[in-house]
Amino acid sequence: MVALFDQYRSSYNRTVDDSISFSGLKHDFFLQAKVEPLARLIAERGLAKHPAGVRALDVGCGVGALHPYVRPLFSTLDGCDISAESVARARDENPWVAYRTYPGPLLPYSDGSFDLAFAVCVVHHVPPQQWAGFFAEMRRVVRPGGAVCIIEHNPFNPLTRLAVLRCPFDEDAVLISRRKAGRLLKAAGLGEIDGRHFLLLPFANPVARKAEGWFSRAPLGAQYVCSGRV
């Protein structure tokens, strides 16, 4: 897996764009679509009330493509990944983020270091037998009262399945459902589990976003966010 992602350091964005070209949308659209669910989670969990702001960790951050979009949400942001080449590119493009390379499975941070730990389209690259340990590590590095969140592909959405099938570095992906993610969060010791689907309608306008919200509890959208409180 490390070697696979190392080789896509320079071509990551183009490869993703190729895999979703049938949608007529660019990778940027799907990155921007993740900002609102993260912002809502921060507000609903009360994480922004911390005097120092929101200290966040992006687990499996890759080349840091999401970070320019989510920068306003956090006072500090750390990112870690097993791919040294991806981290090198992320560090070049986002010097304001503190990046680390780690071999796994243990995250290179002390207990309770963050208000929020999130992983975006990462769990499906983790072997299923390691899912429990992955969630437990995310919980370990978050302070009491903080939150753990994953954003993942919805395995019940046929267009999502097509995009994964077309993406070369998703060749060995094992998609995880929102229900399964919620059970893993609970097993890791988190409470107040919540999950919502998004990207049902591929439009950025407010009307589409509002309509999408009406169906967020049904497994229809292309992706979902699932979170729990430490």
Side-chain angles (χ1 to χ4, degrees):
M1 186 61 68
V2 175
L4 177 63
F5 280 95
D6 277 350
Q7 77 182 52
Y8 284 101
R9 169 183 174 171
S10 300
S11 60
Y12 176 83
N13 299 73
R14 184 172 66 253
T15 303
V16 174
D17 277 337
D18 288 344
S19 72
I20 59 175
S21 60
F22 66 88
S23 71
L25 299 167
K26 293 291 187 181
H27 188 210
D28 286 352
F29 172 83
F30 294 95
L31 292 171
Q32 291 170 338
K34 295 170 176 59
V35 177
E36 194 277 333
L38 283 171
R40 183 178 63 239
L41 181 151
I42 290 169
E44 291 180 350
R45 300 287 186 181
L47 303 183
K49 295 178 182 178
H50 193 284
V54 181
R55 303 162 298 170
L57 170 65
D58 182 358
V59 181
C61 63
V63 298
L66 179 64
H67 295 166
Y69 300 97
V70 299
R71 183 174 185 176
L73 301 181
F74 311 122
S75 57
T76 65
L77 178 60
D78 286 56
C80 61
D81 200 276
I82 61 173
S83 168
E85 291 296 323
S86 296
V87 167
R89 175 179 165 183
R91 189 176 287 124
D92 288 342
E93 296 184 358
N94 305 292
W96 58 278
V97 180
Y99 291 105
R100 294 190 193 182
T101 304
Y102 79 111
L106 301 180
L107 294 171
Y109 305 97
S110 301
D111 296 0
S113 297
F114 302 96
D115 304 302
L116 170 67
F118 63 94
V120 178
C121 298
V122 173
V123 177
H124 65 260
H125 293 298
V126 178
Q129 63 270 24
Q130 296 177 20
W131 282 350
F134 183 86
F135 280 72
E137 270 298 282
M138 291 183 71
R139 182 202 180 282
R140 179 185 65 79
V141 300
V142 173
R143 65 166 175 83
V148 172
C149 162
I150 70 159
I151 293 177
E152 268 297 335
H153 296 317
N154 175 16
F156 302 114
N157 184 294
L159 295 181
T160 295
R161 286 280 187 181
L162 178 59
V164 170
L165 182 66
R166 289 164 54 95
C167 189
F169 47 74
D170 280 344
E171 185 175 304
D172 297 322
V174 179
L175 299 186
I176 178 173
S177 70
R178 184 192 63 77
R179 286 184 178 273
K180 178 63 174 179
R183 289 196 294 268
L184 285 165
L185 286 169
K186 185 176 182 179
L190 290 112
E192 301 178 30
I193 309 300
D194 184 60
R196 301 177 190 179
H197 292 78
F198 64 102
L199 286 173
L200 172 61
L201 301 172
F203 308 105
N205 66 72
V207 174
R209 297 280 65 78
K210 183 175 182 180
E212 187 175 271
W214 296 337
F215 300 98
S216 63
R217 300 296 182 179
L220 301 174
Q223 295 186 336
Y224 66 84
V225 56
C226 190
S227 67
R229 187 183 295 278
V230 175

